[in-house]
Amino acid sequence: MVEPRLATVLNVNDDDANRYLVNRILEMAGYHVIEAATGMAALLLAEQHRPDVIVLDVKLPDISGYEVCARLRANPDTASIAVMHTSATFVTSDKKARGLDAGADAYLTQPFESSELIATVRSLLRLRHAEQAARRRADELAEMDRRKDEFLAMLAHELRNPLAAIMTSIGILERKPTDDTKEARMRGIIHRQTNHLARLVDDLLDVSRITRGKVELRSGRLDLRAVLLQVVQVIRPITEARGLGLEVSMPEGPLVLTGDATRLEQVFTNLLDNAAKYTDSGHISLRVEREGVDGTAQAVVRVRDTGIGIPQDVLPRIFDLFAQADTSLERTRGGLGIGLTLVRQLVHLHGGQVQAVSPGSGRGSEFVVRLPLLHANEVALAPPVNTVSRSGRRILLVEDNPDARQAMRELLELWGHDVEVAPDGLQGVELAVRKPPELALVDIGLPGLDGYRVARELRTRIGHDIRLVAITGYGGPEGHDRALAAGFDLHIVKPVKPDELDRLLSNL
């Protein structure tokens, strides 16, 4: 059996008699003792031996004990060593305070009883051991958090590949009208549930990034009305499928603010989707108003429903992670309980506020979002991008997932494009060099040569006569920035909705 290591104490005192006495007391108590007579010698020994405790006299011949303690704390290698100041002179409260401010953990005045010295050393050792355990636990938690983030990123990538194939395939089917009402209904179910799965994957990753403060907004000037109209187009089929009415009221003039359009869509999609999820019958209303005057104006968006409401005991924590109004065992409403946490964080990142109001269970609820608007005289919105015909482009698709590759190829060919495909990065580069396309859609997680290296190769060998778009299952600002640095023009995350792909091709 391995014997436990003796705790090491560094005893620093220029008085030989005092130093010898303290050494004997500590050795008799079972501690391993090393000694120093000057401050500089103490600093050197502390860095070499890393003692558990330093018994440090305040008055030394070269530098004071206060200075020694300050230097110990400033050095990362010695900062965690417990330090006990001692003094053979009358010690006033201000001197004790000075020692503690310099970083000392305890202060004893000589002469002191041996029992008092040993008890103080034991106390400091307990404190040091507790700090070491807490530090180890913090390191373990940080490592677990890192592994969790890696797992979530890989999980998202693996889920987004099949989602991309499903979403593209249903996009192809929906472009072929059918007279079979049952088939049309099944298409609608597949479309809605695929979108729902994609939102769950995005929410899961976003809440991980937000809790670590790693979400960055890609802000620009935008009209909030345009964002909300886009959200309504997404939500209306969901409300219609549930037999719910959807009332929309917006002001005539623009509501110009600085924000991230994608993130704001996420906010209001979550709120309206929640309203539909928790409303069995009745209606949902989206009411938008402009309040205040220029300089202090704000957009006020109210999402109200006639649903199950929010109990008064749940209301104060409705925005907390994993909080849900429906806490029954049946969990008929579904969801992860993270949507409203994302809403609150994203609204706050936009300088706004969100509030939940409900009279109680069974009486509906209302969520109110307030966002600051720009002054009317500030820079106008950028003009819309002029779209060009997307027909007849030469497109290279580099995708290793066979189902996603086949579905995307058929959709692009259905739109009239000339499409070549490659299952890996090496073949993708060879095809592009042999017959340069106008546009390359490149997956990032490719075998052999990943998407970043494909982009760098194509920029080196073909130049900027080709547009490069990264289509990847890895989301987040890190992936976006790395893609642009590698030479991509755009970075989009799977699954790509057919309508979004259509707009992308038109704008390119």
Side-chain angles (χ1 to χ4, degrees):
M1 187 176 68
V2 178
E3 292 292 333
R5 183 183 70 86
L6 291 177
T8 299
V9 180
L10 170 59
N11 180 25
V12 187
N13 197 310
D14 65 324
D15 185 283
D16 293 339
N18 281 338
R19 190 171 67 252
Y20 174 79
L21 178 61
V22 170
N23 286 353
R24 290 295 297 155
I25 294 172
L26 292 171
E27 288 169 347
M28 291 178 65
Y31 296 111
H32 173 61
V33 182
I34 54 178
E35 60 180 86
T38 66
M40 295 306 295
L43 291 172
L44 182 61
L45 288 172
E47 193 160 5
Q48 288 177 342
H49 295 276
R50 310 286 174 82
D52 299 285
V53 178
I54 299 178
V55 179
L56 178 61
D57 191 42
V58 170
K59 188 177 180 181
L60 296 171
D62 49 354
I63 58 176
S64 72
Y66 302 124
E67 177 65 19
V68 172
C69 191
R71 293 191 188 185
L72 289 169
R73 294 293 179 242
N75 184 347
D77 293 331
T78 58
S80 62
I81 299 174
V83 176
M84 175 173 59
H85 272 323
T86 64
S87 177
T89 59
F90 178 72
V91 180
T92 59
S93 59
D94 62 321
K95 289 183 179 179
K96 284 186 178 181
R98 182 183 174 189
L100 296 173
D101 285 340
D105 300 290
Y107 207 122
L108 286 183
T109 304
Q110 293 178 335
F112 41 70
E113 296 291 333
S114 59
S115 58
E116 185 180 11
L117 173 65
I118 297 304
T120 305
V121 170
R122 287 174 179 167
S123 175
L124 292 179
L125 285 171
R126 286 195 299 269
L127 176 64
R128 185 174 186 270
H129 292 159
E131 289 176 346
Q132 289 175 337
R135 193 176 296 111
R136 284 194 301 270
R137 181 58 178 162
D139 291 342
E140 291 170 0
L141 290 174
E143 177 63 16
M144 291 169 62
D145 189 55
R146 184 189 65 79
R147 292 183 181 180
K148 176 209 61 176
D149 292 335
E150 289 180 353
F151 169 75
L152 288 177
M154 184 58 66
L155 175 65
H157 179 265
E158 294 303 314
L159 290 174
R160 279 170 171 156
N161 272 325
L163 282 173
I166 296 170
M167 189 169 287
T168 305
S169 299
I170 192 63
I172 294 174
L173 292 176
E174 287 179 338
R175 278 165 167 74
K176 296 181 179 180
T178 178
D179 296 328
D180 188 329
T181 57
K182 185 176 181 180
E183 181 182 339
R185 190 162 59 250
M186 293 304 103
R187 288 180 183 182
I189 291 172
I190 296 171
H191 183 82
R192 287 192 300 275
Q193 294 305 315
T194 304
N195 285 332
H196 181 58
L197 282 173
R199 281 202 303 273
L200 289 178
V201 172
D202 288 338
D203 284 355
L204 190 63
L205 289 174
D206 279 340
V207 78
S208 176
R209 286 193 288 264
I210 283 177
T211 54
R212 291 179 293 122
K214 291 195 173 183
V215 169
E216 296 179 3
L217 300 182
R218 298 191 182 96
S219 296
R221 287 179 172 80
L222 55 86
D223 184 354
L224 182 61
R225 294 182 314 160
V227 172
L228 293 171
L229 288 173
Q230 178 67 26
V231 172
V232 169
Q233 286 184 349
V234 174
I235 292 295
R236 194 175 291 280
I238 297 174
T239 58
E240 290 175 352
R242 293 184 62 88
L244 303 173
L246 177 59
E247 302 171 2
V248 179
S249 172
M250 295 193 192
E252 292 293 330
L255 298 170
V256 183
L257 53 80
T258 298
D260 185 326
T262 300
R263 292 301 187 180
L264 289 175
E265 281 188 22
Q266 189 176 2
V267 166
F268 295 110
T269 299
N270 261 317
L271 291 178
L272 284 165
D273 187 53
N274 261 9
K277 184 191 304 180
Y278 290 99
T279 302
D280 296 322
S281 62
H283 66 275
I284 299 167
S285 68
L286 172 67
R287 184 178 182 84
V288 188
E289 300 169 332
R290 179 189 179 98
E291 292 185 358
V293 296
D294 286 344
T296 60
Q298 59 183 354
V300 182
V301 184
R302 303 177 188 274
V303 177
R304 183 178 299 172
D305 63 65
T306 58
I308 67 171
I310 305 172
Q312 294 303 301
D313 61 323
V314 175
L315 197 58
R317 51 186 175 84
I318 195 65
F319 292 102
D320 293 347
L321 195 58
F322 307 124
Q324 291 187 321
D326 180 11
T327 56
S328 64
L329 291 176
E330 294 85 354
R331 289 293 318 282
T332 56
R333 311 290 169 174
L336 300 174
I338 60 181
L340 291 179
T341 301
L342 291 171
V343 166
R344 179 178 60 183
Q345 297 293 344
L346 291 174
V347 169
H348 286 176
L349 285 173
H350 281 85
Q353 297 177 326
V354 60
Q355 177 187 13
V357 181
S358 176
S361 297
R363 301 175 65 184
S365 58
E366 181 181 47
F367 287 83
V368 184
V369 176
R370 300 176 185 274
L371 295 168
L373 295 174
L374 293 176
H375 192 279
N377 295 329
E378 293 193 61
V379 180
L381 290 170
V385 177
N386 293 323
T387 60
V388 296
S389 173
R390 57 170 168 78
S391 61
R393 291 185 182 275
R394 296 190 315 277
I395 297 177
L396 171 63
L397 172 63
V398 188
E399 167 64 69
D400 65 322
N401 184 288
D403 288 338
R405 184 172 65 245
Q406 182 66 26
M408 181 72 76
R409 178 177 191 165
E410 292 192 12
L411 179 62
L412 293 170
E413 289 178 341
L414 183 66
W415 288 341
H417 299 293
D418 178 15
V419 183
E420 289 199 72
V421 297
D424 58 55
L426 288 171
Q427 293 186 47
V429 171
E430 290 175 3
L431 283 173
V433 171
R434 186 168 65 244
K435 184 181 176 182
E438 297 175 66
L439 170 68
L441 303 174
V442 184
D443 187 27
I444 294 298
L446 295 169
L449 202 67
D450 67 35
Y452 301 122
R453 293 174 64 190
V454 169
R456 285 192 287 267
E457 282 288 323
L458 294 181
R459 287 298 181 218
T460 300
R461 301 172 69 173
I462 299 178
H464 290 272
D465 294 332
I466 179 176
R467 304 305 296 274
L468 298 178
V469 177
I471 300 182
T472 175
Y474 296 106
E478 303 90 352
H480 173 270
D481 295 342
R482 188 177 175 188
L484 296 186
F488 283 104
D489 297 294
L490 284 175
H491 172 273
I492 55 179
V493 178
K494 297 177 182 177
V496 185
K497 298 178 182 177
D499 290 343
E500 292 178 355
L501 182 62
D502 192 12
R503 285 198 300 271
L504 181 150
L505 293 174
S506 297
N507 291 336
L508 282 176

